[in-house]
Amino acid sequence: MNTEITFMKYKCLIHLFGVLLITSSCTSSDNVSYSEEGCEEIVIDPTERQMINRSELFSLERVIKLKNSSGTLIGEIENILAHEDFLVINSNDISLYDYEGNFLKKIGRSGRGPGEYLSKFIAYNKKNLFIMDRTQQKIIKYRLSDGSYVSDDYVKIWGQAIINWKEMNLVYAGNELTPYNEKLFIFDKNNNLLTSHFDIKEHEKYYMHFYEKTNFYNYKDSIRFLYAFNNGIYSIGIKGKDTFITKRYCVDFGSYSIPEEFFQQPFRNVRD
């Protein structure tokens, strides 16, 4: 059985990444330059929404049929990373395919040993693949050239999104309690913690626990970052040992915004 991967080419896309109807503020740690100056406001009126055809946002570039001649099973695909030389498919396993759809190799396996994972959120650079294992609180590193295991680095956070940028790993951990009590973490190339940002508020510790599909994306020479229950889209830049976080866009739903006071109520979990 073959699986088809469809590649779409962007025409124009405004991506709000699930920003919810809320206005709120953001805090940051002392070791970062944080600014809201020049925040560009995006005003959205939900009553004036329009249907947009996918063809207005994307054009079809090609369809790649993944060939399972090796007997490798492909289940639900969590995400696909398009390396310049191959595709990284995050499904039941993490597998590499060339752009003709041929299976190349499998990366790691499920388990509790070195190089093994129980949950997996993936990122890459030109040479390496990084797996954030949320369950075991570690970042696993593999070489992409031959699929060989390099290292396990235990980072003590419940990471749920990761991106590699300029040989650093940026990890979003949501509102799960960690020794650092913050949401965003920046690690150096050896996965030593450099900085952490965005304090977890007292009421968030108890009920705002869920996965978000996308928290990071590359834009020019910076990383764009956002998270649910916050109206900001942030730009992250790093120069030397200095980290700069700028609130680049502010999303305003006007009277449809959920007021901050609503979330200050004594909810005990997200189902409340």
Side-chain angles (χ1 to χ4, degrees):
M1 179 178 179
N2 290 337
T3 300
E4 290 187 352
I5 301 295
T6 303
F7 272 79
M8 310 296 288
K9 186 175 181 180
Y10 290 101
K11 289 183 178 177
C12 177
L13 178 61
I14 298 176
H15 206 344
L16 296 180
F17 293 98
V19 176
L20 301 185
L21 309 183
I22 182 172
T23 56
S24 65
S25 62
C26 174
T27 59
S28 63
S29 58
D30 293 334
N31 52 6
V32 61
S33 173
Y34 176 78
S35 173
E36 292 194 14
E37 294 182 7
C39 177
E40 183 176 340
E41 188 176 57
I42 301 175
V43 179
I44 297 177
D45 183 349
T47 64
E48 297 181 359
R49 61 184 182 273
Q50 298 179 357
M51 294 293 294
I52 299 177
N53 294 323
R54 187 169 60 177
S55 60
E56 296 179 45
L57 302 177
F58 307 97
S59 61
L60 179 63
E61 189 169 280
R62 58 177 147 168
V63 176
I64 300 173
K65 289 186 177 182
L66 302 183
K67 302 163 188 174
N68 296 336
S69 57
S70 65
T72 303
L73 296 178
I74 300 177
E76 180 181 355
I77 295 177
E78 294 292 332
N79 63 319
I80 300 172
L81 302 182
H83 188 274
E84 61 184 36
D85 297 323
F86 40 72
L87 301 172
V88 184
I89 310 293
N90 183 9
S91 182
N92 297 342
D93 300 301
I94 300 173
S95 301
L96 305 187
Y97 287 80
D98 66 21
Y99 279 90
E100 300 301 318
N102 300 305
F103 173 78
L104 299 176
K105 61 176 70 76
K106 187 172 74 170
I107 302 290
R109 64 180 181 181
S110 178
R112 296 182 179 273
E116 297 177 343
Y117 44 78
L118 295 177
S119 57
K120 52 194 187 326
F121 301 89
I122 61 175
Y124 73 99
N125 58 26
K126 189 171 183 178
K127 296 181 179 179
N128 301 302
L129 178 75
F130 303 92
I131 304 169
M132 178 69 236
D133 184 342
R134 172 183 172 84
T135 306
Q136 300 185 84
Q137 297 189 329
K138 66 179 181 178
I139 297 176
I140 310 168
K141 181 178 177 180
Y142 278 90
R143 292 187 184 90
L144 285 171
S145 58
D146 57 6
S148 61
Y149 163 72
V150 178
S151 62
D152 278 10
D153 295 305
Y154 288 87
V155 292
K156 299 180 181 179
I157 61 172
W158 304 96
Q160 66 181 52
I162 181 171
I163 189 170
N164 185 269
W165 183 60
K166 295 185 176 180
E167 296 194 18
M168 292 173 288
N169 282 316
L170 282 67
V171 178
Y172 174 68
N175 298 308
E176 299 284 359
L177 289 177
T178 70
Y180 311 101
N181 200 41
E182 295 187 280
K183 306 173 191 287
L184 175 65
F185 301 85
I186 301 176
F187 298 92
D188 66 16
K189 63 181 180 180
N190 296 314
N191 288 319
N192 298 306
L193 181 62
L194 296 175
T195 58
S196 58
H197 314 287
F198 297 95
D199 295 340
I200 298 175
K201 299 175 184 177
E202 185 65 27
H203 64 282
E204 293 177 323
K205 299 175 183 178
Y206 298 105
Y207 72 97
M208 290 189 185
H209 304 301
F210 50 86
Y211 293 126
E212 302 173 45
K213 286 293 185 182
T214 305
N215 298 100
F216 302 107
Y217 66 101
N218 285 290
Y219 183 76
K220 295 183 178 179
D221 195 37
S222 67
I223 293 292
R224 294 291 196 254
F225 168 70
L226 68 166
Y227 62 93
F229 300 109
N230 184 283
N231 72 326
I233 300 176
Y234 299 87
S235 174
I236 302 175
I238 300 175
K239 186 176 181 180
K241 296 182 178 180
D242 298 322
T243 303
F244 304 90
I245 297 181
T246 304
K247 196 172 188 180
R248 183 68 182 83
Y249 300 101
C250 304
V251 182
D252 183 8
F253 289 91
S255 61
Y256 291 91
S257 298
I258 300 175
E260 176 67 17
E261 292 75 18
F262 174 82
F263 296 102
Q264 301 295 337
Q265 299 178 66
F267 299 120
R268 298 305 301 177
N269 60 65
V270 72
R271 291 185 296 273
D272 288 350

